[in-house]
Amino acid sequence: ITSDLVAARDEDGSRLTEEELTDTIFAILGAGSETTINFFDNAITALLSDPAQLELVRSGQATWDDVIDETLRVESPLAHLPLRYAVEDIELDGVTIPKGDPILVNYSAVGRDPRLHPDAPGSFDLTRADKEHLSFGFGPHYCLGVGVARLVARTGLSRLFARFPDLSLAVPREELQPLPTFIMNGHRTLPVRLTVPALVTTAS
């Protein structure tokens, strides 16, 4: 992607300015790193906090894709995105957003909207039929790395829990400290205990 962006800038200079090039690369790097970190944080926290949900995956009653979408629904790694500005007056549910006013987009609200998810929208439930969310965006703003993101999430979670089947939280969930920002949704740290299964040897 970076090479293509550089080529677009270098062809005749009319497609991307230097500032647009660097800003776009920075946005892609940021979108693909911190969001992934927060996703793993939230998914691991949810599974370790509810062993019954983890058992659904281990028993084959739920998939890692279920974990991915339910995590993104209930704990979007990007909670808010500042700022957008109204290019014209916008009428929304009886409220007028005047042209030029700043708009703070709350991606995480959709996943917890009781009108979309009337059955305990704030709970983590892998058996939930509808896991609709906007964590990957929408329309022309849909995440260009969604395929890679899902592959990384599926591979990372499955291998982590296969390698450390007795993985557990090292502190109560209530003691986890949120990141000091309203933009990203994650924890400062996620202390866990790792227990490596003992190797089984046989006599020759």
Side-chain angles (χ1 to χ4, degrees):
I1 293 173
T2 300
S3 297
D4 289 343
L5 289 170
V6 171
R9 187 235 14 215
D10 287 340
E11 282 183 2
D12 60 8
S14 65
R15 299 175 66 185
L16 281 177
T17 65
E18 189 73 20
E19 183 178 7
E20 289 170 335
L21 171 66
T22 54
D23 286 351
T24 301
I25 292 173
F26 177 79
I28 291 172
L29 289 174
S33 57
E34 190 165 359
T35 51
T36 303
I37 293 168
N38 290 341
F39 163 77
F40 278 116
D41 171 6
N42 292 325
I44 294 165
T45 300
L47 291 171
L48 295 184
S49 300
D50 191 343
Q53 295 294 311
L54 179 56
E55 182 56 30
L56 289 175
V57 182
R58 287 177 164 157
S59 66
Q61 298 176 71
T63 67
W64 289 114
D65 286 324
D66 290 324
V67 175
I68 292 168
D69 283 313
E70 182 65 351
T71 300
L72 294 175
R73 182 196 69 79
V74 75
E75 295 289 356
S76 180
L78 176 66
H80 302 86
L81 185 63
L83 284 170
R84 296 294 182 264
Y85 295 87
V87 296
E88 58 185 23
D89 288 353
I90 300 173
E91 296 290 335
L92 188 63
D93 289 340
V95 176
T96 300
I97 303 174
K99 178 180 179 180
D101 266 20
I103 299 173
L104 180 66
V105 181
N106 184 336
Y107 288 101
S108 58
V110 171
R112 292 171 175 256
D113 188 339
R115 292 171 298 180
L116 290 176
H117 307 286
D119 185 17
S123 67
F124 183 82
D125 181 5
L126 297 180
T127 65
R128 189 186 306 274
D130 180 9
K131 300 178 179 66
E132 181 179 352
H133 59 80
L134 285 181
S135 290
F136 287 124
F138 183 79
H141 300 285
Y142 194 67
C143 176
L144 61 84
V146 62
V148 173
R150 286 187 176 278
L151 177 61
V152 168
R154 191 182 308 115
T155 303
L157 287 174
S158 62
R159 296 198 175 179
L160 174 68
F161 283 93
R163 181 72 176 88
F164 301 105
D166 296 323
L167 184 72
S168 63
L169 290 176
V171 298
R173 181 172 183 168
E174 298 73 31
E175 294 183 12
L176 297 175
Q177 297 297 311
L179 291 170
T181 172
F182 69 95
I183 299 175
M184 306 305 293
N185 178 29
H187 300 105
R188 289 175 180 262
T189 61
L190 181 60
V192 297
R193 293 188 178 91
L194 304 177
T195 303
V196 181
L199 293 176
V200 177
T201 59
T202 58
S204 56

